[in-house]
Amino acid sequence: MIKKGIKLIKNGKRIDGRLAKQLRDMEMKIDVISTADGSAKVKFGNTIAIASVRGPRALFPRHLQESQTGILRCKYAMAPFSVDERKSPAPNRRSIEISKVTRLALGPTTFLEDFPKTVIDVFIEIIQADGSTRVAGINASSIALTSAGVPMRDLVSACSVGKINGTLVVDLNGEEDNNSEADVAFAILPSKDEVTLLQMDGLLTKDELIELLNLAKDSCKKICELQKGVLREKYKSE
Ligand code: ADP
């Protein structure tokens, strides 16, 4: 959404006290759901995403199976209690779009061709929404897939960047997202610097976009270190 005139930066500080290029406090945890093959919880400030992975497992009904490859399915949903006003649990255009871009962001990391006739299901539930939920969901999914033992080419690390009150910022919260001049959702495979998600809303100059993409890349590298840290912890204790 693009609105102007709302003061979101005062004396160089954002409404939650952060500097322009500062990420929110982030927490990551894996194996939070015992019934899943792999799961993770990612907290970006007040945004909390839970990802749960099942598979690879045989896909039924059989006519949906692909003989040469496995299939990745992603479902993003915001819980009815995740925002101030009750959110309908039914899928809407936004959640269908986010499910699709999440699948496209994660797809290049998985060796689906090694698992013909199977499906890997990724369920993302946003239990608290305060901006950047799609990227929080992608980060959670990436470590949940790894924790499920799905062979991966790389992790996927994601963050949001944008422009508020003429200032370029990273990791937008809900208020900032709703009043931004532009916001960008970004994901990379950190080892290869391969971009798997780039969505932009609003207006930016070419130079601003280039600066924001560099900021996003740096932020994703920091997020990747957190993802690796939580996975290392798991395998250290096994
Ligand atoms: P993202 O959450 O990935 O940034 P959007 O830009 O679509 O995706 O949404 C921005 C923010 O707007 C969300 O993170 C959430 O805080 C808020 N939001 C989205 N949908 C709703 C809704 N139905 N009710 C209230 N707030 C919402």
Side-chain angles (χ1 to χ4, degrees):
M1 251 183 272
I2 313 149
K3 282 187 214 156
K4 286 187 182 164
I6 296 176
K7 197 102 185 108
L8 291 166
I9 301 190
K10 276 188 202 149
N11 306 323
K13 292 267 180 78
R14 294 157 68 179
I15 45 173
D16 53 13
R18 278 184 294 157
L19 299 171
K21 298 181 174 73
Q22 192 179 347
L23 295 165
R24 286 177 282 186
D25 285 340
M26 295 188 172
E27 285 170 28
M28 296 190 189
K29 214 171 161 191
I30 44 176
D31 297 338
V32 292
I33 298 171
S34 60
T35 49
D37 293 326
S39 62
K41 177 170 147 185
V42 166
K43 191 166 182 290
F44 278 20
N46 292 325
T47 289
I48 304 176
I50 290 185
S52 167
V53 170
R54 290 280 181 91
R57 56 185 174 171
L59 175 59
F60 294 104
R62 278 182 199 219
H63 69 87
L64 295 177
Q65 292 180 357
E66 294 283 346
S67 57
Q68 303 298 321
T69 184
I71 288 172
L72 178 66
R73 289 193 298 211
C74 296
K75 186 166 181 290
Y76 163 104
M78 267 171 58
F81 52 82
S82 63
V83 284
D84 291 342
E85 303 243 327
R86 179 183 178 276
K87 146 101 186 44
S88 159
N92 55 21
R93 283 169 63 108
R94 176 177 172 273
S95 66
I96 292 166
E97 173 220 316
I98 297 179
S99 300
K100 179 181 176 183
V101 297
T102 298
R103 177 171 54 78
L104 296 175
L106 296 169
T109 56
T110 49
F111 291 89
L112 289 171
E113 60 282 6
D114 290 350
F115 301 95
K117 301 183 182 177
T118 69
V119 63
I120 301 172
D121 276 308
V122 178
F123 302 101
I124 298 163
E125 195 71 27
I126 304 301
I127 58 170
Q128 216 168 262
D130 186 22
S132 311
T133 61
R134 75 190 67 200
V135 291
I138 290 170
N139 289 319
S141 304
S142 166
I143 47 178
L145 280 163
T146 314
S147 182
V150 175
M152 308 269 284
R153 290 188 173 84
D154 203 347
L155 284 169
V156 186
S157 305
C159 73
S160 69
V161 288
K163 184 177 171 185
I164 53 173
N165 294 162
T167 303
L168 302 184
V169 299
V170 303
D171 185 22
L172 280 72
N173 64 35
E175 179 83 8
E176 291 173 338
D177 194 309
N178 289 331
N179 298 289
S180 64
E181 284 136 61
D183 68 273
V184 178
F186 183 82
I188 52 165
L189 312 189
S191 312
K192 297 175 161 186
D193 273 356
E194 199 177 306
V195 178
T196 61
L197 173 74
L198 178 54
Q199 290 187 288
M200 179 176 140
D201 191 9
L203 293 174
L204 290 169
T205 65
K206 185 176 160 193
D207 287 346
E208 284 171 338
L209 180 61
I210 290 169
E211 193 179 336
L212 273 184
L213 294 184
N214 285 326
L215 273 176
K217 209 159 92 177
D218 290 347
S219 300
C220 285
K221 300 263 162 145
K222 289 182 195 156
I223 290 165
C224 178
E225 287 311 309
L226 292 175
Q227 291 173 303
K228 282 186 190 162
V230 81
L231 287 165
R232 256 188 226 117
E233 231 8 75
K234 167 174 170 155
Y235 292 107
K236 196 170 75 183
S237 59
E238 271 184 5

